[in-house]
Amino acid sequence: MKNPGPTLLFFLVVPWTSCFTITSPGKFSEIRRTYSPDSARFLLEYHYIQGAWDGDRTWSATILKRGDSVDPKNFVFSYTNWDFDRLYWKNSDTLVLEDKFTDFIADGTSRLTDTILEGVTIHVIHRDPIDSSYTRKIFYQATSPTGKYELYVYKYVKPVNGNYFLNISVVKAGDSPPKFGNFYVSRFDFDCFTDIRWITSDTLDCKVSESCYYAFGDYLAKTRPAINYKVTADDTIQGNIRMYMQ
């Protein structure tokens, strides 16, 4: 059994809370409506236009009855796109929510459970987004100073432009990396890392972007190998990750 490795640097981790409405400064904007098969309800996707605050990456979804006023003050609660990969109607009484699979892999469990909202059952499933159309591309590989471990940095890509989540794994020398990162798994289009490499005593030196330094711990695999590491915020270097991602 793998044991979590010790964290050698202090950083603030702000966990995302499921089923909440983001009301950060910004103007409310409706993205789209998707009606249930019987047209009695609709799934509303929306966000708050915040510009550089989060690059407009964050949006939310809630359920309303046909004829309801689209007023955020009346929303019971919302899911955010940080919680799921897909959300869609199965029938007039059920929505399927494919939870954030990278979080599920990193945490070993899902934070979401089946629930009922506005008379609609939200059915949570786990769906591996990586199928045979993807190819694993290793961007960086290095052996630890003692020769005991191997560091792998990789993504799964398609022959088209796009952003794919980052995987970082540490395995015993001679072993192949697992499908998903056993040290770190990011969300799509939200990589914190700028650089990672071995330093003395089989310790990893992690350089991360200041913009998401607070959330670095959210992406660490909960049952990662017992490897020491230190973390510092550094946007001044291109690093052995960013230089290969471009």
Side-chain angles (χ1 to χ4, degrees), residues 24-77:
S24 303
K27 182 180 178 181
F28 175 85
S29 177
E30 179 177 326
I31 300 174
R32 70 178 61 86
R33 301 184 187 191
T34 306
Y35 283 90
S36 59
D38 64 2
S39 299
R41 301 174 181 85
F42 61 93
L43 176 67
L44 175 71
E45 298 173 25
Y46 66 94
H47 68 162
Y48 289 86
I49 301 174
Q50 301 163 39
W53 188 81
D54 75 342
D56 288 336
R57 287 188 296 252
T58 303
W59 53 274
S60 302
T62 193
I63 301 172
L64 295 174
K65 295 178 181 178
R66 186 181 186 92
D68 282 351
S69 172
V70 179
D71 185 340
K73 293 183 295 185
N74 298 330
F75 296 172
V76 177
F77 63 79

Side-chain angles (χ1 to χ4, degrees), residues 4 58 79 100 112 127 132 151 158 213 224 228 242:
T58 303
Y79 291 97
K100 187 63 66 174
L112 303 178
R127 188 183 69 85
S132 59
L151 170 68
K158 288 186 177 184
Y213 179 64
R224 58 190 178 275
N228 292 331
R242 283 192 173 175

Side-chain angles (χ1 to χ4, degrees), residues 208-224:
V208 301
S209 171
E210 292 183 2
S211 64
C212 63
Y213 179 64
Y214 72 94
F216 172 79
D218 290 350
Y219 310 117
L220 288 174
K222 297 300 182 290
T223 55
R224 58 190 178 275

Side-chain angles (χ1 to χ4, degrees), residues 76-121:
V76 177
F77 63 79
S78 302
Y79 291 97
T80 77
N81 63 312
W82 295 104
D83 292 320
F84 62 87
D85 289 327
R86 291 183 64 203
L87 181 61
Y88 51 90
W89 292 101
K90 179 179 180 180
N91 53 52
S92 297
D93 299 317
T94 306
L95 275 165
V96 174
L97 185 150
E98 296 180 1
D99 71 350
K100 187 63 66 174
F101 194 77
T102 52
D103 287 355
F104 173 67
I105 289 295
D107 295 342
T109 185
S110 177
R111 295 173 296 167
L112 303 178
T113 58
D114 290 2
T115 188
I116 296 177
L117 173 61
E118 292 293 335
V120 175
T121 297

Side-chain angles (χ1 to χ4, degrees), residues 82 84-85 99-106 127-131 133-139 152-158 160-169 178-193 218-219 221 241 244-245:
W82 295 104
F84 62 87
D85 289 327
D99 71 350
K100 187 63 66 174
F101 194 77
T102 52
D103 287 355
F104 173 67
I105 289 295
R127 188 183 69 85
D128 185 345
I130 304 303
D131 57 31
S133 65
Y134 287 84
T135 300
R136 181 164 67 186
K137 185 174 183 180
I138 296 176
F139 292 94
Y152 288 92
V153 179
Y154 52 102
K155 289 188 174 186
Y156 292 89
V157 301
K158 288 186 177 184
V160 294
N161 294 328
N163 296 295
Y164 309 103
F165 59 88
L166 177 69
N167 297 273
I168 298 178
S169 287
K179 181 174 184 179
F180 298 104
N182 66 4
F183 179 77
Y184 177 98
V185 183
S186 77
R187 296 184 175 98
F188 285 96
D189 194 23
F190 201 72
D191 297 336
C192 287
F193 270 97
D218 290 350
Y219 310 117
I241 293 181
Y244 292 117
M245 299 307 179

